[in-house]
Amino acid sequence: MVYGASGYTGRMAAELARAAGLPLVLAARSREPLVHFAEELNVDYRAFDLSDDNAIRAALTDVSVLLNCAGPYMDTAEPLMRAAIGAGVHYLDIAAELDTYRLAEKLDDAARAAGVMLLPGGGGSVAMLGCLAGHAAARVEKPQKLAIALHVAGSMSRGSAISARRNLVTETLRLSGGQLAPRSPGETAHFDFGGGAERCFAVTLPDLITIGRATGIPDVETYVHVSGKAFPDGDLANLPVGPDAAERDANRYQAAVEVTAIDGTIVRSVLDTVNGYSFTPMAAAEAARRVLAGEVRPGFQTPVGLFGTGFAETIANTCITDIETLRDGR
């Protein structure tokens, strides 16, 4: 089941899942946007509101994997995660909101007891950055510190902009000694995404949780470099539903990482991929396919922890390149 299938990213994920031959049910809060889409794909659809626990349980009766593409996830993740655990359904989403991952941590024991997997971030930047981080961390022994930056290019979808505005984190965080800790919101660092050093600003990303969980690295910092119209101003309701195919093709995403080992060795790697709004539904559909095929581990999981560091490179023409190794920081 794809919940939020009538939305910008949910629609693309559903189309890709159907093209891959996956047994599919479309779902959303409102019936009207689903009717013609379900006819187009020749699949079933179900409309239900997340304020009705009985309706959610009924809708999940014959579902084995649920992909939540309906943001803001501060509204949808908890009722769907809890319903999935109760129904024995594996849960995936494409959230980039920190609290969704904190919720998955909180529900980890209950999910394990129910034999249910919680995989937030099965598509999107969490999968991108997690694979890049895991790849670079494997290049050294005993990695102790990791700094990673995402280059966001092009415009933002209406749904993402609304979610971002509602989820503004007042505190800028880092992972320090394995625990989330505050940091100065004005901190910056320079990362080379392949075209020279770019100034990046510190942000609180859910990758602080997922990278730390997947790699065991105790100190993690996350940054973002923005180009184009990635963070719009004004009335978000007037935004287009999302960038069209031509705009996505013209704005690829990159990420860069620096990992420091206990002996002072520093390694750097970069990732280059398609636009995030193309990568996300492709990665989410592929994650759902793998879970349906039996790649499952109960409890809160991360994409890289479940599928391995090569997962991102199976999506479109994503490529990870090793840049350099510095011994003793030199």
Side-chain angles (χ1 to χ4, degrees):
M1 173 181 284
V2 177
Y3 190 81
S6 56
Y8 174 69
T9 304
R11 185 180 182 92
M12 289 190 283
E15 290 171 339
L16 289 162
R18 184 59 171 162
L22 304 187
L24 180 65
V25 178
L26 307 181
R29 181 179 58 184
S30 301
R31 175 183 179 276
E32 289 73 16
L34 292 176
V35 176
H36 295 301
F37 189 30
E39 290 178 355
E40 179 185 330
L41 296 186
N42 192 29
V43 297
D44 190 13
Y45 71 90
R46 294 165 195 175
F48 55 95
D49 193 282
L50 299 187
S51 63
D52 186 341
D53 292 341
N54 290 329
I56 302 173
R57 283 195 293 269
L60 294 178
T61 299
D62 57 352
V63 172
S64 57
V65 177
L66 169 65
L67 171 60
N68 178 15
C69 294
Y73 294 90
M74 64 192 302
D75 298 331
T76 66
E78 183 159 10
L80 286 176
M81 277 192 196
R82 290 188 182 278
I85 292 171
V89 174
H90 301 305
Y91 172 93
L92 292 73
D93 70 29
I94 55 172
E97 302 169 14
L98 183 71
D99 284 347
T100 300
Y101 297 81
R102 284 172 157 163
L103 175 64
E105 287 185 315
K106 178 181 175 182
L107 296 178
D108 183 36
D109 288 343
R112 289 177 187 276
V116 167
M117 182 171 68
L118 303 177
L119 187 69
S125 60
V126 167
M128 287 183 205
L129 299 186
C131 289
L132 176 62
H135 171 92
R139 296 176 59 196
V140 298
E141 291 192 20
K142 298 183 179 179
Q144 296 297 299
K145 181 178 179 181
L146 181 148
I148 196 163
L150 177 66
H151 175 205
V152 178
S155 62
M156 183 179 284
S157 75
R158 184 193 307 151
S160 294
I162 292 170
S163 291
R165 184 169 290 183
R166 287 191 59 193
N167 282 274
L168 287 174
V169 179
T170 57
E171 195 173 35
T172 306
L173 302 174
R174 59 159 49 98
L175 193 69
S176 178
Q179 301 294 321
L180 292 176
R183 66 185 303 195
S184 170
E187 287 186 43
T188 62
H190 285 83
F191 291 82
D192 188 344
F193 300 102
E198 299 282 2
R199 185 169 177 262
C200 303
F201 57 91
V203 291
T204 302
L205 296 179
D207 307 271
L208 294 171
I209 292 176
T210 55
I211 289 174
R213 190 178 186 89
T215 66
I217 297 175
D219 297 334
V220 178
E221 296 178 350
T222 51
Y223 298 82
V224 167
H225 173 68
V226 177
S227 61
K229 303 171 290 183
F231 293 101
D233 296 320
D235 187 355
L236 301 184
N238 294 328
L239 286 177
V241 65
D244 60 23
E247 184 178 357
R248 294 197 304 271
D249 288 345
N251 291 280
R252 293 178 66 83
Y253 274 29
Q254 292 83 35
V257 67
E258 178 179 289
V259 177
T260 304
I262 196 169
D263 64 358
T265 299
I266 298 173
V267 296
R268 298 187 178 101
S269 301
V270 296
L271 175 146
D272 180 79
T273 189
V274 293
N275 184 270
Y277 288 106
S278 297
F279 181 96
T280 295
M282 285 190 267
E286 173 61 9
R289 184 193 69 78
R290 293 190 181 200
V291 174
L292 278 168
E295 291 187 55
V296 172
R297 195 177 301 144
F300 172 28
Q301 305 298 330
T302 66
V304 65
L306 184 67
F307 302 130
T309 59
F311 176 63
E313 291 182 284
T314 69
I315 308 303
N317 57 339
T318 302
C319 178
I320 294 175
T321 303
D322 296 331
I323 301 302
E324 60 185 329
T325 301
L326 303 177
R327 302 295 177 185
D328 298 323
R330 296 189 294 273

